[in-house]
Amino acid sequence: MASLQRSSLPLLASLALTLILAVGIVASTNAEDEQVAVGRVEPADLQDEEVQKAVDFAVKTYNDMNNDLYISKPIKVMSASQQVVAGKNFYLKIELGRTICSKAQSDFTDCPFNEQQNEQKRVTCNFKIYSVSWENKMSMTSFNCPRA
């Protein structure tokens, strides 16, 4: 009986080692996939409510920060992507146009774009918005509006 246990011991040890290595490879592969997915910048769905909130926040903050007397609003969201971090980063490229509504007005829902040739102001801006939805917090990390 003792000799049977001694001859089985190397076999059991090699089986245990094989099992440990197999589990380790699967676990490390899954961990790598999760790390890539968390930090990866991916296209965002423009219809998604969180993306819409980020667009609205970017435009509102842009209007608050510039010294134009008139409100600008989006003509077109040219691109949107997102990155999961400790919250989410949204990368937005938005074409904005000047409206006829002054910043002194309180209701901007029906503000048409300014159609007068010398008063039109269109600009394309890149925004990085950081959102922590479970804390109901949003901030503009950076933005730029390069001249064409």
Side-chain angles (χ1 to χ4, degrees), residues 8-22:
S8 302
L9 192 57
L11 179 61
L12 289 173
S14 70
L15 284 173
L17 182 59
T18 303
L19 181 63
I20 290 169
L21 288 173

Side-chain angles (χ1 to χ4, degrees), residues 54-72:
V55 168
D56 293 344
F57 181 81
V59 173
K60 181 187 179 322
T61 305
Y62 170 82
N63 281 313
D64 290 345
M65 294 177 72
N66 74 35
N67 59 2
D68 197 339
L69 297 175
Y70 298 94
I71 292 292
S72 291

Side-chain angles (χ1 to χ4, degrees), residues 78-147:
M78 300 171 79
S79 66
S81 55
Q82 61 189 13
Q83 178 184 35
V84 176
V85 290
K88 273 191 185 174
N89 285 322
F90 292 97
Y91 301 91
L92 307 168
K93 184 173 187 176
I94 305 172
E95 182 181 9
L96 299 163
R98 179 190 273 164
T99 68
I100 63 169
C101 297
S102 74
K103 288 184 178 180
Q105 290 178 236
S106 59
D107 184 18
F108 305 115
T109 52
D110 293 323
C111 291
F113 289 107
N114 196 322
E115 297 298 329
Q116 295 179 9
Q117 190 65 31
N118 61 340
E119 291 296 319
Q120 287 182 350
K121 180 181 173 188
R122 292 179 180 220
V123 63
T124 301
C125 299
N126 298 300
F127 298 94
K128 181 179 176 185
I129 306 297
Y130 176 64
S131 172
V132 183
S133 59
W134 60 91
E135 292 180 1
N136 206 21
K137 292 183 181 177
M138 200 170 276
S139 60
M140 185 179 304
T141 306
S142 65
F143 85 100
N144 66 27
C145 304
R147 298 282 178 210

